[in-house]
Amino acid sequence: MEKRQIKTDFLIIGGGTAGCYAAYVMSKKSDVKIVIAEKANIRRSGCLAAGVNALNAYITEGKKPEDYVEYAKKDANGIVRTDLLLSMSQRLNHVTEELERLGLVILKNENGKYAARGTRNIKINGENIKLLLAKAASSGKNVTILNHVNITDYVVRENQILGALGFDVNEPVFYEIQAKAVLCATGGAAGLYRPNNPGFSRHKMWYCPFNTGAGYAMGLLAGAEMTSFEMRFIALRCKDTIAPTGTIAQGAGAKQVNARGEIYEKKYGLTTSQRVYGTVTENREGRGPCYLHTKGITQAQEQDLYKAYLNMAPSQTLKWLEEGKGPAMADVEIEGTEPYIVGGHTASGYWVDDQRRTTVRGLFAAGDVAGGCPQKYVTGALAEAEIASEAATEYLAECREFLFSDEFSQASEQKQKEYEEHLKGKEEREILSEEQLEEAMQKIMDEYAGGISSGYQYHQAGLFIADQKIKKLQELMDTLGANDMDELMRIYEIRERLIVCRAVIAHLLARKETRWHSFAENADYPQEDSAWLKYVNSKMDETGNLQMIYRDLV
């Protein structure tokens, strides 16, 4: 592989929502050298690639940031970092106004104010939101974009970040990037569990299928402290298309009903996890299928739904049109997805301070990869990116030199050899293909670690089996071969997912209660226990095992 060596002040790993905005904010306020490394192309990468039709985190008229903190705290049943939620909430409206200045179309009501959708959301035309963020990031004269560069490892010595290593996903090029500070903005983890639609439709899922938990895996390998991986996220979605249900529930006021037409949502509770749990229970007890009751909505409401889904989940609009039955004529069937690990909806991710500094010096985190601050959505990710970039600017003012160059060279040399071993090709090495290994991983997690097939329930005995089986799959990683750079990327995506799977299993084992139905449905401990009103954190030791850390609420 050809080696390319880059030195920069600030490396941003991940050119999605948080990554782009961090570069934009920092480039306006500082002349430090910034590099964004993105494994796709920042114009259409990350969770916003296809667009979005609302900003779900906004302080609407009559509300204050503290109200948003209380909402998120209640939804997560107390396991949140209120300090992180408050610092995020205080910036939600500011970053929204900045998005509008960048060109985002935010819908207005008759008074000229932002059109609300519910008590915390506003309506937008967001099909081009990622393009606007990418353009803003690229506009900085001190910003360099590395598209199609997949970062796989940090270089850390004595708990100090030195930079990162990776490769071009199209060409045989090895990247060695030395940096004084690093922002991880790689997003959460999808594809750990068997999805609703296996086989050729397996990427029709709730969360971005290309988010593999890379940032989590790199952090674990580097000894960073992580939090709340047991608080998995399971989305309630339109059946088969896996399109959002909130657009219908909030936009059209639709209630959740069972096959008998009974409204069941209040029976179980209205938090995100309770809405999923209620649907699972109704189906299990023979009152399914379950629906959002849209039959009888007005033609205007139906047209609004068609347009809203074209902004971010066109398959749902296409399904209605193909069937010849729109939501005004028939209720919309719903189902829960497979579990995900994502800090934008639940509290999973890096353990950070209020400046979004991780426990590794010089390493920051923002967006879905940062823990402790759920319900952040798009605007919360932007707020965290701004907080992290401001903190990194201060850090860089004190950090004037690149550190430990010899150690960096040794780590770089070793990693390049590892890549090149895989690139000897499939024929020489392979026992299983990366696709077969992925399917095996998803089957294990589904059956033993609380996937769809078990109604999201898990128990200790099954989790122990899952951990042993995932460890066996990890042992096969060295046997995987790649015939090109795209296949090499897929090998490292499997590596990342397997590392995150083991972390999830360890966290599920550690929390001995059921605090969130479905999200963490512990069959051995089916009740909530006030003794567990604390954070379950973890740190990987040098042997690859996770040491659990329990922290009091902040």
Side-chain angles (χ1 to χ4, degrees):
M1 298 172 75
E2 175 196 337
K3 180 187 279 190
R4 290 186 190 164
Q5 296 173 305
I6 294 173
K7 281 192 172 186
T8 187
D9 296 312
F10 193 44
L11 170 62
I12 298 172
I13 305 174
T17 311
C20 281
Y21 199 72
Y24 166 66
V25 169
M26 184 177 267
S27 66
K28 284 203 307 177
K29 298 178 180 178
S30 170
D31 60 356
V32 300
K33 290 182 180 177
I34 303 166
V35 168
I36 300 178
E38 163 60 50
K39 74 175 178 182
N41 185 303
I42 67 166
R43 294 185 75 250
R44 286 289 189 189
S45 65
C47 298
L48 295 186
V52 65
N53 72 343
L55 297 179
N56 288 331
Y58 184 78
I59 311 302
T60 53
E61 198 168 2
K63 301 289 183 180
K64 54 187 185 296
E66 290 78 5
D67 297 326
Y68 197 88
V69 173
E70 284 306 308
Y71 149 69
K73 185 177 179 181
K74 181 181 178 183
D75 202 76
N77 207 354
I79 308 298
V80 297
R81 286 275 302 279
T82 52
D83 58 333
L84 303 183
L85 277 167
L86 184 59
S87 62
M88 175 201 79
S89 301
Q90 289 168 337
R91 297 183 184 232
L92 292 175
N93 290 19
H94 154 66
V95 297
T96 299
E97 290 162 10
E98 191 63 27
L99 275 177
E100 189 172 32
R101 279 192 286 274
L102 291 174
L104 181 68
V105 176
I106 302 179
L107 304 187
K108 306 285 175 65
N109 59 26
E110 61 276 6
N111 299 320
K113 296 182 178 179
Y114 293 157
R117 193 194 78 174
T119 56
R120 294 173 293 273
N121 317 21
I122 56 173
K123 300 176 183 178
I124 64 171
N125 286 343
E127 67 279 357
N128 67 340
I129 187 170
K130 188 63 210 298
L131 298 172
L132 294 172
L133 286 169
K135 184 179 178 182
S138 306
S139 65
K141 292 179 181 177
N142 51 338
V143 178
T144 301
I145 311 294
L146 299 178
N147 285 317
H148 306 125
V149 173
N150 185 41
I151 300 297
T152 66
D153 292 83
Y154 300 135
V155 181
V156 174
R157 182 180 184 274
E158 297 175 1
N159 203 44
Q160 170 76 50
I161 195 79
L162 307 181
L165 305 170
F167 55 86
D168 190 294
V169 302
N170 297 317
E171 305 295 333
V173 178
F174 172 73
Y175 276 89
E176 174 187 294
I177 307 174
Q178 290 190 56
K180 296 174 185 174
V182 174
L183 171 67
C184 183
T186 53
L192 307 180
Y193 287 78
R194 183 188 282 157
N196 295 89
N197 302 305
F200 72 92
S201 293
R202 66 185 180 276
H203 289 324
K204 187 177 283 297
M205 55 174 61
W206 168 74
Y207 194 56
C208 177
F210 313 108
N211 283 5
T212 61
Y216 299 147
M218 290 191 292
L220 285 162
L221 291 172
E225 187 172 336
M226 297 289 172
T227 188
S228 306
F229 276 28
E230 77 279 11
M231 195 194 296
R232 308 175 302 172
F233 184 73
I234 299 160
L236 189 66
R237 305 297 269 183
C238 301
K239 193 172 187 306
D240 299 327
T241 63
I242 315 299
T245 52
T247 303
I248 300 172
Q250 294 181 30
K255 303 294 185 185
Q256 290 172 225
V257 298
N258 60 26
R260 302 172 186 174
E262 300 163 340
I263 297 173
Y264 66 84
E265 57 182 38
K266 289 186 179 177
K267 177 178 169 184
Y268 300 94
L270 297 175
T271 67
T272 310
S273 66
Q274 288 166 342
R275 286 179 177 277
V276 176
Y277 177 67
T279 304
V280 171
T281 305
E282 291 293 302
N283 279 317
R284 186 176 64 242
E285 295 180 357
R287 293 184 292 276
C290 295
Y291 302 88
L292 281 172
H293 180 49
T294 57
K295 191 174 180 180
I297 63 173
T298 67
Q299 288 298 308
Q301 286 176 309
E302 184 176 65
Q303 287 298 315
D304 283 347
L305 289 178
Y306 285 151
K307 292 173 186 175
Y309 280 106
L310 284 174
N311 269 342
M312 63 175 181
S315 57
Q316 184 60 38
T317 299
L318 293 172
K319 183 182 180 185
W320 281 325
L321 295 175
E322 286 168 359
E323 291 177 347
K325 285 184 181 179
M329 293 177 64
D331 291 342
V332 179
E333 191 175 351
I334 55 177
E335 65 181 347
T337 63
E338 77 276 23
Y340 305 90
I341 306 301
V342 51
H345 286 67
T346 50
S348 312
Y350 282 87
W351 183 251
V352 295
D353 68 7
D354 60 1
Q355 300 301 302
R356 274 49 179 190
R357 293 177 291 210
T358 72
T359 56
V360 175
R361 181 169 167 75
L363 176 63
F364 300 79
D368 281 348
V369 79
C373 185
Q375 311 292 358
K376 66 185 69 152
Y377 306 115
V378 175
T379 42
L382 301 180
E384 286 199 324
E386 186 172 70
I387 293 167
S389 65
E390 289 172 358
T393 302
E394 288 181 20
Y395 173 81
L396 287 167
E398 301 168 6
C399 178
R400 302 189 183 280
E401 302 297 330
F402 291 96
L403 303 171
F404 311 116
S405 58
D406 291 342
E407 287 84 348
F408 196 102
S409 299
Q410 291 169 14
S412 174
E413 203 173 300
Q414 189 177 345
K415 186 54 59 174
Q416 185 172 351
K417 283 180 182 175
E418 182 181 295
Y419 295 158
E420 288 173 347
E421 277 295 310
H422 288 297
L423 285 166
K424 286 181 177 176
K426 289 178 177 289
E427 293 73 17
E428 253 188 66
R429 300 172 57 82
E430 222 161 59
I431 298 170
L432 290 175
S433 69
E434 70 274 2
E435 188 168 338
Q436 289 168 327
L437 207 150
E438 180 180 283
E439 287 182 7
M441 172 194 70
Q442 291 177 345
K443 183 177 189 293
I444 292 163
M445 295 298 287
D446 179 67
E447 294 179 0
Y448 296 106
I452 293 170
S453 66
S454 64
Y456 307 118
Q457 285 191 343
Y458 55 87
H459 48 79
Q460 182 173 290
L463 291 172
F464 281 133
I465 293 171
D467 192 52
Q468 291 304 309
K469 288 179 177 288
I470 294 296
K471 279 167 75 174
K472 289 289 185 186
L473 294 185
Q474 284 184 306
E475 290 169 11
L476 294 172
M477 283 303 305
D478 287 343
T479 71
L480 293 179
N483 291 330
D484 57 34
M485 302 307 292
D486 182 71
E487 289 181 357
L488 183 64
M489 177 189 73
R490 295 179 193 283
I491 288 172
Y492 278 86
E493 288 182 334
I494 290 293
R495 183 195 75 155
E496 291 152 7
R497 286 184 166 120
L498 288 169
I499 292 167
V500 177
C501 282
R502 291 206 61 207
V504 172
I505 292 165
H507 277 252
L508 292 174
L509 277 166
R511 183 174 287 278
K512 293 175 169 51
E513 66 162 349
T514 294
R515 180 157 295 271
W516 313 280
H517 280 304
S518 295
F519 287 13
E521 194 75 41
N522 192 329
D524 295 325
Y525 302 92
Q527 303 301 320
E528 182 182 323
D529 185 347
S530 60
W532 285 93
L533 199 59
K534 55 188 172 187
Y535 309 110
V536 174
N537 290 6
S538 62
K539 201 173 180 182
M540 186 178 282
D541 63 24
E542 291 178 358
T543 67
N545 291 316
L546 276 111
Q547 306 302 317
M548 305 314 295
I549 302 164
Y550 302 97
R551 292 191 179 275
D552 294 332
L553 292 187
V554 175

